[in-house]
Amino acid sequence: HDETTLYQIRTGEVKPSTKIYFYLLSILKLEAKITSLDLSSRNAKAIRIRNDTIFPELVGLIHSDGHLNLMKSGKGQIFYFSNQHKELIDRFCELIWNSFECDVFVKKDERDNTYYAYPPSVVGRIIAKKIGWKTRDYPNLDFSVEEIPSYLTGLFDGDGTIYVYKNSKITIPTVKITTDSRFHAEHIKNLLSKVGIYSRVSKETRK
């Protein structure tokens, strides 16, 4: 930037993007109390960070029916949560508001009654900075034993299924979660084991 632009940034006449702001902090080795910041967002009101904790249940919801991805062009991102149950959309919004003071846009697709919740993009970037982008091989996070039930709650609320398996001899209530990644399936099994729940991984072949 030339001197005029730097002066405008210092005086608040123009604001650098949040991405550039954090990048400059890292270069200059400066620390800022993140909860003291008001972050500007291109298409939303200014955002305040309530605390720097991303709750495990929110991570579970994102890892289930959430989308937190960089666009292929690399020039933007996609961040939203979708589900046909309004109460789960409300819970997602509540968890976002626990960490961020921001607006969340919610809409309903009348074609299939699916709800979509869209937080501001800068919120997605901050969350991705902590947990990684949700790619097919997104990183498995190490949760403490105390945090595991909360993470699994979000994960199973979004992607879990409860049904009753019956045949001529037995009736078995069954809880199942589906993923296309053996890596993530084994991780979920390991988390369940840590809290004393037996599970097994199996591959389903659709006919």
Side-chain angles (χ1 to χ4, degrees):
H1 296 288
D2 59 26
E3 285 300 319
T4 301
T5 304
L6 290 174
Y7 173 77
Q8 290 172 329
I9 291 174
R10 286 197 299 270
T11 58
E13 292 181 32
V14 298
K15 298 179 181 179
S17 71
T18 305
K19 182 178 180 181
I20 293 175
Y21 180 78
F22 285 115
Y23 181 63
L24 289 173
L25 287 181
S26 66
I27 290 177
L28 298 173
K29 307 297 183 184
L30 297 175
E31 293 186 2
K33 187 177 180 182
I34 199 167
T35 53
S36 69
L37 302 177
D38 283 332
L39 306 177
S40 60
S41 179
R42 182 179 302 172
N43 299 315
K45 297 178 182 177
I47 296 159
R48 178 175 289 273
I49 300 176
R50 298 183 191 274
N51 64 66
D52 59 0
T53 299
I54 306 299
F55 293 89
E57 185 181 349
L58 176 59
V59 180
L61 289 175
I62 292 171
H63 283 174
S64 60
D65 282 340
H67 295 262
L68 182 58
N69 316 96
L70 281 172
M71 297 178 69
K72 291 182 180 179
S73 64
K75 296 182 179 179
Q77 66 169 46
I78 300 170
F79 180 39
Y80 67 89
F81 178 76
S82 61
N83 200 276
Q84 290 186 326
H85 298 283
K86 181 60 164 56
E87 61 270 21
L88 204 53
I89 293 292
D90 292 341
R91 180 58 180 161
F92 172 81
C93 293
E94 181 183 349
L95 290 166
I96 289 288
W97 292 329
N98 282 342
S99 297
F100 303 93
E101 185 178 317
C102 66
D103 293 331
V104 180
F105 174 68
V106 177
K107 73 173 186 178
K108 180 181 180 181
D109 189 334
E110 298 294 344
R111 294 171 297 180
D112 60 1
N113 294 320
T114 297
Y115 292 91
Y116 295 82
Y118 296 90
S121 61
V122 65
V123 170
R125 287 194 177 275
I126 293 171
I127 292 175
K129 189 74 174 177
K130 284 183 168 286
I131 72 172
W133 297 102
K134 187 186 173 184
T135 62
R136 189 180 185 279
D137 299 315
Y138 64 82
N140 285 330
L141 304 175
D142 291 324
F143 294 103
S144 67
V145 173
E146 292 75 20
E147 293 173 326
I148 290 173
S150 179
Y151 173 72
L152 292 174
T153 295
L155 197 66
F156 276 82
D157 275 348
D159 269 350
T161 302
I162 301 175
Y163 64 98
V164 176
Y165 172 80
K166 289 183 177 181
N167 62 24
S168 59
K169 297 181 179 179
I170 57 174
T171 299
I172 304 175
T174 303
V175 179
K176 179 177 71 172
I177 190 166
T178 304
T179 174
D180 62 356
S181 168
R182 180 89 187 192
F183 176 66
H184 293 315
E186 292 290 351
H187 180 62
I188 295 169
K189 177 184 176 183
N190 183 49
L191 292 177
L192 288 166
S193 176
K194 286 183 178 181
V195 291
I197 299 174
Y198 168 78
S199 62
R200 62 186 178 88
V201 176
S202 61
K203 184 175 181 180
E204 292 187 350
T205 303
R206 295 186 178 180
K207 297 180 179 179

